[in-house]
Amino acid sequence: MSDTAARLEEKIRDGSARVGILGLGYVGLPLSVEFAAAGLPVLGFDLAPGKVEAVNRGESYIKDVPSERLAPLTQAGRLKATTDFEALGECDAVVICVPTPLSKTKDPDLSMVVEATKSIAARLRSGQLVILESTTYPGTTEELILPLLTEGGLRVGHDFFLAFSPERVDPGNDRFSTRNTPKVIGGFTEACLRVARALYGRAIDTLVPVSSPRAAEMVKLLENTFRSVNIGLVNEVALMCERLEIDVWEVIEAAASKPFGFMPFYPGPGLGGHCIPIDPFYLSWKLKTLDYRARFIELAGEVNSAMPEHVCARVADALNDRCKSVKGSRILVLGVTYKKDIDDVRESPALDILRILERRGARVGYNDPYVPQLDHNETRLESQELLPALAEADAVVIVADHSSYRYREIVDAARLVVDTRNATRGIVSDKIVKI
Ligand SMILES: NC(=O)c1ccc[n+]([C@@H]2O[C@H](COP(=O)([O-])OP(=O)(O)OC[C@H]3O[C@@H](n4cnc5c(N)ncnc54)[C@H](O)[C@@H]3O)[C@@H](O)[C@H]2O)c1
């Protein structure tokens, strides 16, 4: 073990190591709070001045991070934020938590990871630890990050340390947060893994070391591909059940009684969020460069991305049964976030459903207690007041089944309810159509 690594480990242990977090979003802000709460001085970096100012005022913009938890840390000076990237040189550890979206052609867009790495590389000094947390394809840390960091001549594992550790945060999950979700870590060398473990060991309860950054990158993609494929399977089972005139929800519930060998997944209006609809395509893209077709990923993507169209077809059929057309009907979408009880609309299937229904001539609106305004088709929609909107709507589509909705009252007040989440379970009414 080199002296450099031992010194860094000691600084982490005695609480004097400064941690820099690049990207203060859904991943970076909770992580910053966790490190600061564990007694390490944290400096958050973001390009968005609004986020930086909010953090410095102790105001959280992430639902899972209460301002009451953030404010004492900023007041005590343990957590600060800045847009001045010069301060990266002062940090002993830097964790990259920037977005990894897909391009229009569904290829990985690593431009923000590259930008963030370049800003570190320009100030890299001996004794620093760099960790990538953004989800990406296996090989990124080694093939993309490492060459940028070694341009100045510093040696990985000797002068500086490099690791990949995937973020697994599940927004809206009350039971598992950053601290008590086990953390997978892959270091570039033994020393890299050791210092990365020392760092996360301060703030995370359980660490799961693996042999390399590329194994750690693959772990995250296995987890998200597992979800995407299983959701794709159950969405297809829902389509089959529809043709067989069987209630898919009853079937899943009964199958879930098996105490081994079955794990329930549920059909829905389509995938959403920054992870499940995107990450598996990072893996299939990488495999394409190695002449391998990731067939399960492609098929699941096909089935899942067709669900919003299917929901709209069900709305059209249900209106048709009531001698109405989609064109000219008022259709209210309930819940526009990608899953219940969160405030995130990224990649939400509700956006596709609103767009498809509008394209077919419907007069669309929405209600969502978590989303007061929604940018849609170059206009800004406002969340409508629930009861008057229900009374006016020809059809209501439940897309995000928020716990705060009173579904009995919704069914009573609506003319027609298309339920994509089984939110109306237990309510018997011929107004309800389920997928
Ligand atoms: N949101 C989740 O639930 C979740 C879960 C697990 C993993 N991830 C992964 O974590 C990564 C980050 O996701 P997120 O949801 O936190 O994104 P986010 O959009 O909420 O936050 C990212 C932040 O990075 C900032 N940023 C962009 N470029 C920057 C740069 N060069 N320097 C500094 N800041 C920069 C943005 O302004 C933004 O505030 C992604 O790779 C994502 O796939 C997200």
Side-chain angles (χ1 to χ4, degrees), residues 22-27 45-47 51 85 97-100 112 115-116 134-135 167 169 171 220 274-275 346:
L22 268 169
L24 295 172
Y26 285 90
V27 168
F45 297 84
D46 206 291
L47 300 174
K51 287 189 179 171
F85 286 58
C97 308
V98 300
T100 44
M112 286 179 262
E115 272 317 300
S134 304
T135 308
E167 176 50 59
V169 70
K220 174 74 184 176
H274 189 350
C275 293
R346 288 181 297 176

Side-chain angles (χ1 to χ4, degrees), residues 116-139:
T117 309
K118 283 183 177 167
S119 60
I120 300 167
R123 295 146 186 114
L124 191 69
R125 58 164 174 81
S126 180
Q128 279 185 315
L129 163 66
V130 179
I131 302 174
L132 178 63
E133 286 217 4
S134 304
T135 308
T136 183
Y137 59 79

